[in-house]
Amino acid sequence: MKRYFAMLMMTLAVNQPVWAASRTVTLAIPGMSCAACPITLRIALNRVTGVTATTMNIDSRQATVTFDDAKTDVEALIRATGDSGYPSTLIQGVSP
């Protein structure tokens, strides 16, 4: 039993990237101007593999996105908003 547990732990350790981290960025989305825009953007961003949370602020026309940096990156987030009709730019960098 101890051997099985040790092998299981070894497998899990090898399959999990050590450098993966949760990151948060803020995107400026100037085209977000109506009540439906945040819904469309939230759906688009949540479809990106690795995104764990999205917060939309229609007043400031910004989206805050938390994601696993081992699964996606800022370029994929910007591409997702652009593909849904809302070009965006990074306004706040990646934070740990």
Side-chain angles (χ1 to χ4, degrees):
M1 186 60 131
K2 287 183 184 180
R3 186 174 187 175
Y4 175 76
F5 182 75
M7 287 175 48
L8 177 64
M9 296 311 292
M10 211 41 176
T11 302
L12 291 174
V14 170
N15 289 330
Q16 298 297 320
V18 175
W19 57 90
S22 181
R23 306 288 182 180
T24 300
V25 295
T26 301
L27 302 174
I29 309 173
M32 184 169 43
S33 59
C34 70
C37 296
I39 297 167
T40 302
L41 286 161
R42 182 173 287 114
I43 290 168
L45 288 166
N46 284 332
R47 286 185 178 160
V48 176
T49 300
V51 170
T52 57
T54 57
T55 304
M56 304 294 155
N57 186 326
I58 195 167
D59 294 330
S60 65
R61 297 181 180 179
Q62 296 178 356
T64 303
V65 185
T66 303
F67 62 96
D68 180 339
D69 71 353
K71 296 180 181 177
T72 195
D73 55 21
V74 175
E75 289 78 23
L77 303 176
I78 291 172
R79 189 171 40 255
T81 63
D83 289 349
S84 66
Y86 300 91
S88 65
T89 55
L90 178 67
I91 60 171
Q92 185 175 337
V94 178
S95 64

